[in-house]
Amino acid sequence: MGLFSNIILRRFRDIAPIYEEILKAYKEFLLTEEELEIPTVTRILIPLDRYSDPLPESVIEYISSFPGSRVGLIYVIDEDVCRVIRETIGDKDAEIFREKEFKKGEETLNATKKLIEDLNLNHIISSQIKIGNKATIIEHESEDYDILIVSRYYGATMVKTYQVSPIVFRILQNVEKPVIIY
């Protein structure tokens, strides 16, 4: 806090008597010195699912800022949806759904992988498809990564009442890594 204290003292030297009140009032808006430090990013996790938007140009530019970094792409199929389909309309239809989801997952992963490979910045890209609880899987997988980049629609379709899906909110609350939402 030494740097901030000095800046604040210089800026508000004429109003020193109310300095403590100003500092207290604006405390939430001031960055700490740790927050000003540019983090080292060598591993990026990008969760995907059927609701995820394609990576926008701004995310591609961000990824290009870290050449040679490891990028993990994970397509997650909701296990509860598979279970509900199996219980309501049968095993055969559940298997058809699962096959379609795997195919969509492979297409999504390949398209995203190509976007990153086209940067030609020696990114090490891994991709995988998992079945389970979307939030739990991402919370667990994020432990091995420096940053998480997730679509605001991850895990749910866009509804008019929410700008960000409830699953993304849950991930934000439980992951101790920086998260970029696109």
Side-chain angles (χ1 to χ4, degrees):
M1 278 304 284
L3 177 62
F4 289 125
S5 298
N6 290 338
I7 290 172
I8 291 169
L9 281 174
R10 235 183 313 154
R11 176 73 176 114
F12 297 107
R13 71 175 162 242
D14 296 332
I15 52 175
I18 59 170
Y19 165 72
E20 292 297 325
E21 291 178 35
I22 293 170
L23 185 62
K24 194 174 186 180
Y26 293 97
K27 182 179 177 183
E28 293 179 10
F29 301 103
L30 298 174
L31 295 175
T32 64
E33 290 188 19
E34 294 84 23
E35 290 171 329
L36 285 174
E37 230 176 80
I38 297 173
T40 303
V41 175
T42 59
R43 299 164 295 171
I44 301 169
L45 177 63
I46 304 174
L48 301 164
D49 69 354
R50 66 175 21 251
Y51 308 112
S52 299
D53 281 339
L55 295 181
E57 189 64 33
S58 59
V59 170
I60 298 297
E61 286 179 23
Y62 180 81
I63 293 170
S64 71
S65 302
F66 304 101
S69 60
R70 191 177 101 199
V71 180
L73 305 173
I74 299 178
Y75 187 93
V76 183
I77 300 170
D78 195 334
E79 187 176 40
D80 286 339
V81 172
C82 295
R83 182 185 51 77
V84 169
I85 290 173
R86 187 176 51 251
E87 290 174 357
T88 54
I89 55 178
D91 288 337
K92 185 179 176 185
D93 290 323
E95 190 57 36
I96 291 170
F97 173 78
R98 181 181 268 212
E99 287 173 10
K100 285 183 178 179
E101 277 295 302
F102 268 96
K103 185 177 178 183
K104 179 156 181 62
E106 288 175 6
E107 291 171 0
T108 303
L109 290 173
N110 290 335
T112 306
K113 189 174 181 179
K114 183 169 180 354
L115 278 174
I116 298 169
E117 286 175 341
D118 287 347
L119 295 172
N120 289 327
L121 294 173
N122 298 323
H123 289 99
I124 301 164
I125 304 168
S126 64
S127 62
Q128 58 183 319
I129 297 176
K130 290 195 169 195
I131 298 176
N133 181 296
K134 293 182 177 193
T136 303
I137 288 174
I138 298 308
E139 289 164 3
H140 176 72
E141 292 290 331
S142 68
E143 293 172 5
D144 295 333
Y145 291 87
D146 299 321
I147 192 162
L148 180 68
I149 300 175
V150 63
S151 168
R152 70 181 58 216
Y153 308 125
Y154 177 77
T157 58
M158 182 60 186
V159 291
K160 291 181 179 179
T161 53
Y162 301 113
Q163 292 294 317
V164 176
S165 80
I167 290 180
V168 173
F169 272 122
R170 178 186 155 176
I171 291 170
L172 284 173
Q173 291 172 343
N174 295 320
V175 170
E176 295 180 5
K177 310 284 180 175
V179 178
I180 295 175
I181 300 173
Y182 64 92

